[in-house]
Amino acid sequence: MDLHSETLLTMEEASQLQLVWKRFRRHRLALLGAVMLSIFVLAALFAPLLAPPVPRGANTTKVGLLPDPTAIDPINQHLPPGTKGHILGTDEVGRDILSRLLYGARVSLYVGLMATLGSESIGAIIGAISGYYGGVIDTIAMRVTDFMLTLPLLPILLVLSAMMAGRAPTAFARINYLIIILVAFGWMTSARLVRGVVLSLREQEFTEASKALGASDVRIILRHMLPNAIAPIIVNATLAVGGYIIVEAALSFLGFGVQPPTPSWGNMLTRVQDYMFQNPTLAIWPGLCIFLTVLSINFMGDGLRDALDPRMRSERVGGG
Amino acid sequence: MTNYLIRRAITMVIVLFLSSVAVFAILNAAPGGPLDGLRMQNADRNRRVTALDYARLENLLGLDKPVHLRYIVWLAGDDWIEVLPVWFTGTNAFGEPFKNGTHKGILRGDWGESWRVAQGRPVLDVIKSRLGNTVILMSSATILSLLVAVPIGVLSAVKQYSTLDYVATTFSFIGISMPVFWLGLMMIILFSLKFKQWGLPYLPSGGIVSLRGPGAGTLWDRIKHLIMPTTVLSLLYMAGWSRFMRTAMLDVLHQDYIRTARAKGLVERVVISKHAFRNALIPLITIVTLQLSSLFGGAVLTETVFAYTGMGRLYFEALGQSDWPLVMGYLLISAVLVVVSNLIADIAYVLVDPRIRYD
């Protein structure tokens, strides 16, 4: 490729991106979502800097001044919001709520992103193979996909997470097990999506041309099929992040996800009903964080859909 | 069609068998289990459980059998297992072969007994005692959501980009992004806690009926307990379904036959109701039939938040207490319902749309 066509190519790409950005910017709510989400992401990244340090002399299980979302302080239980050193107050064992929210953001966003990454890649591979080869492979893959889409998700995730998590040696391993389970039951939508795109591309001339040039199946799928499916995958992935954050929160809320003392927005809500009379604010913050994060992600997804592929739609039927 | 149904029936049985094997394996391969608590008790000298006690308990629950034998017992009972060769069944803690028991197995209608949640009661009895509550909750939420979501979805498709459409879209975005259990908690704080503090008529924060006080156990009392869980569930369903209906309707409205119908001078009302709506019904059938299985399975989150003793909460309790027979029973019923409702959906498609054909 000579220099000239190289420049042409990059110019072409830049204008494409500019076009997408222009269309995205026009979507007010999507822009708002992007800003809100950035705030949450920054808060999660800089949690150790933002969280208030453990006060000196407090009767904590861990000594030191570093912020610690698991530091217990039995003397200062249920401090009201606005207390000095605890802007949002403390919970039933005296842990600082703001610290827990900040560290909980890490869990939620990590689970959301990793589960999405996993399920979108696996779905893309299954969808591409199924659509490209067709025949028996396609029939079996799509039957399995259809069946898995109808399964009652929450009961199954609950039983798997209860069983698998018992083996996790550390809190972090447990979170990763949770992600694996979410991926195992979350790849179906993207598999269908990619299959649809590949099915239509398979019949086009450039595929035949590639084959005639001696390109392998893997190369055709990776270089010609998947790049064409990237727009719907991105949109689907954005919406999936929000879905996974909610599912993680639900599992943790029920006690089958991230385990205390590791803070997660879901498990912070687990026992709030016991303290509803003493400290109703306990229930408000974690849920509000989940809601705002997922809402901003969904707004962004909607904006991306308009920007990348105005014809595409993807709707989900919610659980209970 | 008959051929198709027969084939479907065979696949259904295979799918059910495989999923029961999978669930059973997952439950039984996990570390811990129902007797885990007893092991921990050993730290307390006064309540120490001897190895013999432990072996007896294991034997009582059938946990001393190897996993493959446990599955066979669950499936076909243990009143005949002496027939099986010892190399296949293995031996118990005392090195003796397993004796015949009294269980008949699920194939002969014996679902076993609950271990912990309702100790000693037959699983089927426990499930039956919770089923009514769940069916009431789920069917009222489903009917309410359909009554609201379908017209909203259709109207916002017909009047795309109108104010109604924007309001409905915003509402459904909020509904999809809202964790259902948090919405429940917020409603409890507002309508039970704050309303009581403010001296307003307030709603009960959970349960099925009041245990005491004026009007306890009356129909109105029951309805009061239903209001919040039904509302929470309905809002969730409405958010998803109205979008779903809107998409389906928009899809149909862009079809050629709609243009033809309009071109031949049909009134818009007829075009919408007779030509468009009927064809947009297919996705609706998918929703309603998928909903069928949760009608019995209940809503784990909502029932937990509102302490509503239905199937979802029963499952949650059984899982938390390692009550495997109950968990198996619940999951088996769910699997059967999923498979059957899939079949019902496929048959309903043919009834609504004669273009669809199976052979």
Side-chain angles (χ1 to χ4, degrees):
Chain A
M1 196 182 287
D2 60 34
L3 195 66
H4 185 61
S5 60
E6 184 88 13
T7 4
L8 267 181
L9 202 68
T10 44
M11 271 175 64
E12 173 73 19
E13 254 167 37
S15 66
Q16 185 79 19
L17 269 180
Q18 273 166 2
L19 199 70
V20 167
W21 169 237
K22 215 171 133 189
R23 266 184 282 176
F24 183 80
R25 224 173 30 187
R26 221 179 299 148
H27 200 297
R28 287 274 168 77
L29 288 175
L31 215 55
L32 179 71
V35 172
M36 280 207 302
L37 188 67
S38 317
I39 295 173
F40 275 106
V41 171
L42 289 176
L45 283 177
F46 297 110
L49 298 177
L50 295 170
V54 178
R56 196 192 297 270
N59 185 10
T60 55
T61 51
K62 289 181 186 165
V63 190
L65 289 170
L66 279 176
D68 179 4
T70 64
I72 291 173
D73 184 3
I75 296 169
N76 293 319
Q77 290 171 6
H78 291 304
L79 287 181
T83 313
K84 191 165 175 287
H86 302 286
I87 300 171
L88 295 181
T90 57
D91 68 2
E92 70 271 15
V93 287
R95 294 175 296 208
D96 180 57
I97 292 179
L98 179 64
S99 307
R100 291 182 72 70
L101 285 178
L102 287 166
Y103 280 90
R106 293 184 153 191
V107 174
S108 283
L109 292 172
Y110 176 74
V111 171
L113 287 176
M114 294 308 281
T116 303
L117 206 64
S119 62
E120 296 299 312
S121 341
I122 290 178
I125 293 170
I126 293 176
I129 291 175
S130 166
Y132 187 77
Y133 291 105
V136 187
I137 298 177
D138 187 37
T139 314
I140 293 173
M142 283 305 112
R143 283 270 92 185
V144 173
T145 310
D146 284 346
F147 180 69
M148 286 190 71
L149 275 171
T150 60
L151 291 178
L153 195 62
L154 197 60
I156 291 176
L157 290 180
L158 275 175
V159 70
L160 284 176
S161 145
M163 297 304 115
M164 253 177 103
R167 301 166 169 231
T170 62
F172 185 59
R174 187 170 179 134
I175 295 175
N176 287 327
Y177 282 168
L178 191 65
I179 292 171
I180 294 172
I181 299 169
L182 290 177
V183 170
F185 284 87
W187 53 267
M188 292 86 73
T189 330
S190 77
R192 271 197 176 172
L193 218 73
V194 173
R195 174 181 172 268
V197 176
V198 170
L199 269 184
S200 71
L201 293 179
R202 193 181 59 174
E203 305 303 329
Q204 291 184 14
E205 280 93 357
F206 73 85
T207 312
E208 212 169 320
S210 315
K211 269 188 193 158
L213 283 169
S216 68
D217 287 350
V218 177
R219 189 185 157 83
I220 294 178
I221 288 176
L222 285 182
R223 296 300 299 270
H224 300 291
M225 303 277 163
L226 288 183
N228 276 297
I230 208 77
I233 288 179
I234 288 177
V235 175
N236 185 48
T238 317
L239 296 172
V241 175
Y244 286 124
I245 289 179
I246 287 202
V247 173
E248 181 273 320
L251 289 176
S252 300
F253 168 69
L254 291 174
F256 292 94
V258 179
Q259 295 297 303
T262 309
S264 124
W265 290 341
N267 74 22
M268 287 176 74
L269 288 168
T270 305
R271 297 193 57 205
V272 292
Q273 262 168 308
D274 302 348
Y275 307 106
M276 212 149 239
F277 286 96
Q278 282 165 280
N279 196 355
T281 53
L282 272 184
I284 296 175
W285 301 114
L288 200 63
C289 286
I290 304 170
F291 173 52
L292 290 180
T293 309
V294 177
L295 189 67
S296 47
I297 290 172
N298 284 343
F299 279 151
M300 266 182 71
D302 199 46
L304 280 175
R305 171 164 49 211
D306 287 355
L308 288 170
D309 189 356
R311 285 158 302 145
M312 211 197 91
R313 306 159 315 269
S314 90
E315 306 293 346
R316 279 168 175 237
V317 190
Chain B
M1 192 74 183
T2 322
N3 255 334
Y4 171 76
L5 286 180
I6 293 171
R7 252 192 306 144
R8 278 297 292 264
I10 296 171
T11 353
M12 274 163 64
V13 172
I14 295 172
V15 164
L16 285 178
F17 173 72
L18 289 179
S19 43
S20 76
V21 172
V23 173
F24 201 86
I26 291 166
L27 284 180
N28 283 283
L35 296 181
D36 222 28
L38 287 181
R39 284 235 167 94
M40 286 182 205
Q41 259 187 34
N42 278 354
D44 180 355
R45 193 181 300 172
N46 295 324
R47 295 163 64 198
R48 184 161 288 176
V49 184
T50 63
L52 192 67
D53 289 336
Y54 198 83
R56 252 204 312 268
L57 276 171
E58 264 198 339
N59 180 269
L60 188 72
L61 299 183
L63 286 171
D64 50 349
K65 299 185 177 73
V67 176
H68 62 273
L69 187 61
R70 266 187 256 168
Y71 180 75
I72 292 174
V73 168
W74 178 78
L75 198 69
D78 60 0
D79 52 354
W80 54 278
I81 51 168
E82 281 174 19
V83 191
L84 295 168
V86 177
W87 62 262
F88 181 75
T89 62
T91 54
N92 65 15
F94 310 102
E96 301 155 355
F98 292 106
K99 298 238 163 48
N100 280 347
T102 53
H103 287 113
K104 290 202 165 77
I106 208 134
L107 290 179
R108 285 182 283 166
D110 179 2
W111 293 54
E113 284 98 37
S114 161
W115 287 348
R116 297 278 281 275
V117 175
Q119 228 162 23
R121 271 179 74 192
V123 167
L124 218 50
D125 273 12
V126 183
I127 287 178
K128 268 186 211 154
S129 72
R130 298 289 191 98
L131 197 58
N133 290 340
T134 283
V135 171
I136 291 173
L137 170 64
M138 298 305 286
S139 51
S140 41
T142 307
I143 292 169
L144 185 66
S145 322
L146 282 177
L147 286 179
V148 177
V150 172
I152 285 185
V154 170
L155 278 179
S156 45
V158 172
K159 298 193 189 326
Q160 202 185 358
Y161 305 129
S162 64
T163 318
L164 174 90
D165 187 24
Y166 278 117
V167 171
T169 306
T170 316
F171 163 76
S172 90
F173 261 104
I174 292 174
I176 291 169
S177 312
M178 184 94 74
V180 53
F181 51 96
W182 183 63
L183 180 61
L185 290 172
M186 292 298 105
M187 288 184 78
I188 292 175
I189 289 184
L190 182 64
F191 294 115
S192 303
L193 226 75
K194 293 291 169 193
F195 269 41
K196 196 174 179 181
Q197 280 175 7
W198 298 334
L200 293 167
Y202 59 94
L203 289 168
S205 66
I208 305 280
V209 287
S210 310
L211 295 175
R212 50 173 189 269
T218 56
L219 181 67
W220 172 235
D221 186 39
R222 273 214 75 145
I223 294 175
K224 272 206 307 203
H225 282 82
L226 263 175
I227 292 176
M228 280 204 291
T230 311
T231 314
V232 166
L233 271 179
S234 306
L235 289 177
L236 176 79
Y237 291 148
M238 281 176 208
W241 295 356
S242 61
R243 290 299 287 174
F244 198 70
M245 203 58 219
R246 176 180 182 270
T247 313
M249 197 67 188
L250 276 179
D251 238 16
V252 174
L253 285 175
H254 289 132
Q255 298 284 335
D256 287 342
Y257 57 77
I258 297 296
R259 197 187 314 157
T260 312
R262 283 186 181 137
K264 74 178 179 186
L266 278 185
V267 193
E268 185 66 14
R269 194 166 43 84
V270 180
V271 175
I272 300 296
S273 61
K274 283 223 164 136
H275 293 248
F277 182 63
R278 190 174 164 135
N279 283 292
L281 269 181
I282 288 194
L284 193 67
I285 290 175
T286 318
I287 294 180
V288 174
T289 41
L290 278 179
Q291 188 62 13
L292 200 67
S293 56
S294 49
L295 212 57
F296 294 88
V300 180
L301 287 164
T302 312
E303 289 182 6
T304 306
V305 170
F306 291 103
Y308 192 90
T309 45
M311 292 284 284
R313 195 177 158 87
L314 176 71
Y315 177 68
F316 171 66
E317 287 166 9
L319 206 54
Q321 301 181 32
S322 306
D323 196 333
W324 296 168
L326 257 184
V327 173
M328 276 305 281
Y330 176 90
L331 287 175
L332 183 74
I333 294 183
S334 311
V336 170
L337 286 170
V338 163
V339 176
V340 169
S341 51
N342 257 347
L343 182 66
I344 294 177
D346 286 349
I347 295 173
Y349 293 150
V350 182
L351 296 182
V352 176
D353 188 347
R355 287 170 301 183
I356 299 175
R357 209 170 279 173
Y358 307 112
D359 34 36

